[in-house]
Every structure is written in C-alpha cells, then in structure tokens.
Amino acid sequence: ETGVTQTPRHLVMGMTNKKSLKCEQHLGHNAMYWYKQSAKKPLELMFVYNFKEQTENNSVPSRFSPECPNSSHLFLHLHTLQPEDSALYLCASSQEGTSGLRTQYFGPGTRLLVL
Amino acid sequence: GNSVTQMEGPVTLSEEAFLTINCTYTATGYPSLFWYVQYPGEGLQLLLKATKADDKGSNKGFEATYRKETTSFHLEKGSVQVSDSAVYFCALSSNTGNQFYFGTGTSLTVIP
C-alpha cells in the first residue's frame, strides 16, 4: 500500500462503546496528525505527533485518546462519545525538519456516526 | 498570528468556465502555501503548493501564485470540468512549528 491509509472507513458506535481508529503512513514521514472535519466547520487539528512524541493537543476532550507506537502508526481511541462527535476523522503525515517542505498528506478519513 | 481566509462558497460554474477562488493569508515569518482538494467521500489531496514569494504552483490545469505584496494565493483554472466539482482548501504552513492553518473550504460545483 502507498500513502496514508485509515481503517475503518466507516464506523457507527453507541455512546457507551469503545472503539479505535487506525492510521498508517507508508511515506517514511516522522510526524502524524489527527483532524476532525465536521459539516460546515473548519478543519480542526486534534493531535500532533512529531518523532512519536505528542507536541500539540488542542484542548481535545479526554474521551479521545491518541496513541503513536511508532512513526508509521497512529491510533485514536474513542470511549463514551457524544452525538456531536460524529464527523469525518482525518489522519495526515508529513516530514518535519526539512525547511519549507511541511506538506501534509492525508488519508481518506473515517466517517464516524455516534448514536 | 497565522490564519487563512478564503472566499465563501458555494460556487457553481458551467463547464469550460474560468475559475478563481480567492485566498488571503496572515502569517509571521515566511510560510509555505498550499491548495488541497477534497472530492466527495474522500480525504484531502494536495493539489499544488508554493514555498516562497513569486513561486507559481500548478497541477491538473490549476495554478496559484504566491503574492507576498498582497498576501494572496488565489486558485485559478482556465476551463473547469464536471470532474473538478469538489471542495477546495487553502492552507499555510509556518516555517516555525509544524501546524497547518486551513481555510474553511470553498465548494465548487461544475454543471454540464
């Protein structure tokens, strides 16, 4: 596989469920990101991992828990979500440390519906 | 601070019409500028980019020129096709830190 992959592509869960989203990048990058895209809202950066260390956490509720076991994999663990958390969750990666070339490459997203 | 402002949509054009989607930015330092496209049901795809003033990014008939004097990076295409229907996002990457700043997106619909 090439690029950035995400699984599952679609997920329906109840508010008491626990699920995880998975992202894998095959680009040799050293930084990975989780974004939330809701209808009619700007893209929201949730988490940034740079060299496997979390460097940004934009005040995301604790019901979202990221995990980055290595530079190629990123997870988003979900528990006791709310209906307003329904959105498209996008993963991205980039190669940091190269001046002026912070192009982010995105996965196809996981469409999440919380009932 | 850093921010991106792009024109409100939706934009509806007839096939072969000329397209302009405006994007202006505010940034500290020397940002890189990007246009991403999102087709229905998919993630964002990099369309083109420019890393310094006066650079022109181009891809698939789309062009955008990095204008430092007007802090703009407008997206243009001379003749749009139905397959160009998508949401277009302008973005900047600061040369400090590793955060991207996205515009709110502009929805384009091209009708035959």
Side-chain angles (χ1 to χ4, degrees), chain B residues 9-32:
Chain B
V11 174
T12 302
L13 294 173
S14 297
E15 206 164 22
E16 299 184 3
F18 184 85
L19 169 71
T20 300
I21 300 179
N22 290 337
C23 172
T24 57
Y25 67 91
T26 303
T28 53
Y30 305 96
S32 296

Short mmCIF file of all heavy atoms in Angstrom, two decimals, chain B residues 9-32:
data_model
loop_
_atom_site.label_atom_id
_atom_site.label_comp_id
_atom_site.label_asym_id
_atom_site.label_seq_id
_atom_site.Cartn_x
_atom_site.Cartn_y
_atom_site.Cartn_z
N GLY B 9 -18.29 29.90 -0.28
CA GLY B 9 -18.98 29.26 -1.37
C GLY B 9 -20.47 29.24 -1.09
O GLY B 9 -20.93 29.98 -0.22
N PRO B 10 -21.20 28.36 -1.75
CA PRO B 10 -20.70 27.52 -2.83
C PRO B 10 -20.56 28.30 -4.14
O PRO B 10 -21.19 29.32 -4.32
CB PRO B 10 -21.76 26.44 -2.94
CG PRO B 10 -23.03 27.10 -2.49
CD PRO B 10 -22.61 28.10 -1.43
N VAL B 11 -19.70 27.77 -5.00
CA VAL B 11 -19.50 28.33 -6.33
C VAL B 11 -20.05 27.34 -7.35
O VAL B 11 -19.75 26.15 -7.28
CB VAL B 11 -17.99 28.57 -6.60
CG1 VAL B 11 -17.78 29.02 -8.03
CG2 VAL B 11 -17.43 29.59 -5.61
N THR B 12 -20.87 27.83 -8.26
CA THR B 12 -21.42 26.99 -9.32
C THR B 12 -21.04 27.58 -10.66
O THR B 12 -21.28 28.78 -10.89
CB THR B 12 -22.96 26.89 -9.22
OG1 THR B 12 -23.30 26.36 -7.93
CG2 THR B 12 -23.50 25.96 -10.29
N LEU B 13 -20.41 26.78 -11.50
CA LEU B 13 -19.96 27.23 -12.80
C LEU B 13 -20.40 26.25 -13.88
O LEU B 13 -20.57 25.05 -13.61
CB LEU B 13 -18.43 27.34 -12.84
CG LEU B 13 -17.78 28.39 -11.96
CD1 LEU B 13 -16.26 28.23 -12.00
CD2 LEU B 13 -18.17 29.78 -12.39
N SER B 14 -20.51 26.75 -15.07
CA SER B 14 -20.75 25.88 -16.22
C SER B 14 -19.42 25.32 -16.71
O SER B 14 -18.36 25.93 -16.51
CB SER B 14 -21.42 26.66 -17.35
OG SER B 14 -22.67 27.12 -16.94
N GLU B 15 -19.49 24.15 -17.31
CA GLU B 15 -18.28 23.52 -17.85
C GLU B 15 -17.58 24.50 -18.80
O GLU B 15 -18.23 25.24 -19.55
CB GLU B 15 -18.67 22.24 -18.59
CG GLU B 15 -17.58 21.20 -18.65
CD GLU B 15 -18.11 19.83 -19.05
OE1 GLU B 15 -19.20 19.76 -19.66
OE2 GLU B 15 -17.45 18.83 -18.74
N GLU B 16 -16.25 24.51 -18.73
CA GLU B 16 -15.37 25.34 -19.55
C GLU B 16 -15.32 26.79 -19.09
O GLU B 16 -14.62 27.61 -19.72
CB GLU B 16 -15.74 25.27 -21.04
CG GLU B 16 -15.62 23.85 -21.61
CD GLU B 16 -15.89 23.79 -23.10
OE1 GLU B 16 -16.11 24.85 -23.72
OE2 GLU B 16 -15.89 22.68 -23.65
N ALA B 17 -15.97 27.12 -18.00
CA ALA B 17 -15.87 28.48 -17.46
C ALA B 17 -14.53 28.66 -16.76
O ALA B 17 -13.83 27.70 -16.42
CB ALA B 17 -17.01 28.74 -16.48
N PHE B 18 -14.19 29.94 -16.52
CA PHE B 18 -12.95 30.29 -15.82
C PHE B 18 -13.23 30.29 -14.31
O PHE B 18 -14.24 30.80 -13.86
CB PHE B 18 -12.47 31.68 -16.26
CG PHE B 18 -11.15 32.08 -15.66
CD1 PHE B 18 -9.97 31.68 -16.25
CD2 PHE B 18 -11.09 32.83 -14.49
CE1 PHE B 18 -8.73 32.04 -15.71
CE2 PHE B 18 -9.88 33.19 -13.93
CZ PHE B 18 -8.69 32.80 -14.54
N LEU B 19 -12.29 29.72 -13.56
CA LEU B 19 -12.45 29.62 -12.11
C LEU B 19 -11.41 30.47 -11.39
O LEU B 19 -10.22 30.43 -11.73
CB LEU B 19 -12.27 28.16 -11.66
CG LEU B 19 -12.14 27.93 -10.15
CD1 LEU B 19 -13.47 28.17 -9.44
CD2 LEU B 19 -11.62 26.53 -9.86
N THR B 20 -11.88 31.22 -10.40
CA THR B 20 -10.98 31.85 -9.43
C THR B 20 -11.56 31.61 -8.05
O THR B 20 -12.74 31.88 -7.81
CB THR B 20 -10.87 33.38 -9.64
OG1 THR B 20 -10.37 33.65 -10.93
CG2 THR B 20 -9.93 33.98 -8.60
N ILE B 21 -10.73 31.11 -7.15
CA ILE B 21 -11.10 31.02 -5.73
C ILE B 21 -10.06 31.83 -4.98
O ILE B 21 -8.87 31.52 -5.01
CB ILE B 21 -11.12 29.57 -5.23
CG1 ILE B 21 -12.14 28.73 -6.01
CG2 ILE B 21 -11.49 29.56 -3.73
CD1 ILE B 21 -12.20 27.27 -5.59
N ASN B 22 -10.54 32.87 -4.30
CA ASN B 22 -9.61 33.77 -3.61
C ASN B 22 -9.16 33.21 -2.27
O ASN B 22 -9.94 32.59 -1.54
CB ASN B 22 -10.28 35.13 -3.38
CG ASN B 22 -10.47 35.89 -4.68
OD1 ASN B 22 -9.78 35.65 -5.65
ND2 ASN B 22 -11.42 36.80 -4.69
N CYS B 23 -7.90 33.47 -1.97
CA CYS B 23 -7.32 33.08 -0.69
C CYS B 23 -6.33 34.16 -0.27
O CYS B 23 -5.46 34.54 -1.04
CB CYS B 23 -6.62 31.74 -0.80
SG CYS B 23 -5.69 31.27 0.67
N THR B 24 -6.49 34.66 0.94
CA THR B 24 -5.51 35.58 1.52
C THR B 24 -5.05 35.01 2.84
O THR B 24 -5.75 34.21 3.47
CB THR B 24 -6.09 36.99 1.72
OG1 THR B 24 -7.26 36.90 2.54
CG2 THR B 24 -6.45 37.63 0.39
N TYR B 25 -3.88 35.44 3.26
CA TYR B 25 -3.33 34.87 4.47
C TYR B 25 -2.71 35.93 5.36
O TYR B 25 -2.38 37.03 4.91
CB TYR B 25 -2.28 33.80 4.13
CG TYR B 25 -1.03 34.36 3.48
CD1 TYR B 25 0.06 34.76 4.26
CD2 TYR B 25 -0.94 34.50 2.10
CE1 TYR B 25 1.20 35.30 3.67
CE2 TYR B 25 0.19 35.04 1.51
CZ TYR B 25 1.24 35.44 2.30
OH TYR B 25 2.37 35.97 1.71
N THR B 26 -2.56 35.57 6.61
CA THR B 26 -1.80 36.35 7.59
C THR B 26 -0.79 35.41 8.20
O THR B 26 -1.16 34.30 8.60
CB THR B 26 -2.72 36.91 8.70
OG1 THR B 26 -3.75 37.67 8.11
CG2 THR B 26 -1.93 37.77 9.67
N ALA B 27 0.46 35.81 8.22
CA ALA B 27 1.48 34.89 8.75
C ALA B 27 2.65 35.66 9.31
O ALA B 27 2.97 36.76 8.84
CB ALA B 27 1.95 33.95 7.65
N THR B 28 3.29 35.06 10.28
CA THR B 28 4.57 35.55 10.75
C THR B 28 5.64 34.75 10.04
O THR B 28 5.47 33.56 9.78
CB THR B 28 4.70 35.38 12.27
OG1 THR B 28 4.44 34.01 12.59
CG2 THR B 28 3.70 36.24 13.01
N GLY B 29 6.72 35.40 9.70
CA GLY B 29 7.78 34.68 9.01
C GLY B 29 7.48 34.45 7.55
O GLY B 29 6.80 35.25 6.90
N TYR B 30 7.96 33.33 7.03
CA TYR B 30 7.86 33.03 5.60
C TYR B 30 7.15 31.71 5.39
O TYR B 30 7.78 30.66 5.34
CB TYR B 30 9.28 32.99 5.00
CG TYR B 30 10.04 34.27 5.29
CD1 TYR B 30 10.90 34.37 6.36
CD2 TYR B 30 9.84 35.41 4.49
CE1 TYR B 30 11.56 35.56 6.63
CE2 TYR B 30 10.50 36.59 4.76
CZ TYR B 30 11.37 36.66 5.84
OH TYR B 30 12.02 37.82 6.11
N PRO B 31 5.83 31.76 5.28
CA PRO B 31 5.08 30.50 5.20
C PRO B 31 5.18 29.85 3.82
O PRO B 31 5.53 30.49 2.84
CB PRO B 31 3.65 30.95 5.47
CG PRO B 31 3.59 32.34 4.92
CD PRO B 31 4.95 32.94 5.23
N SER B 32 4.84 28.56 3.79
CA SER B 32 4.56 27.87 2.54
C SER B 32 3.06 27.85 2.36
O SER B 32 2.30 27.83 3.34
CB SER B 32 5.10 26.43 2.59
OG SER B 32 6.50 26.43 2.71
#
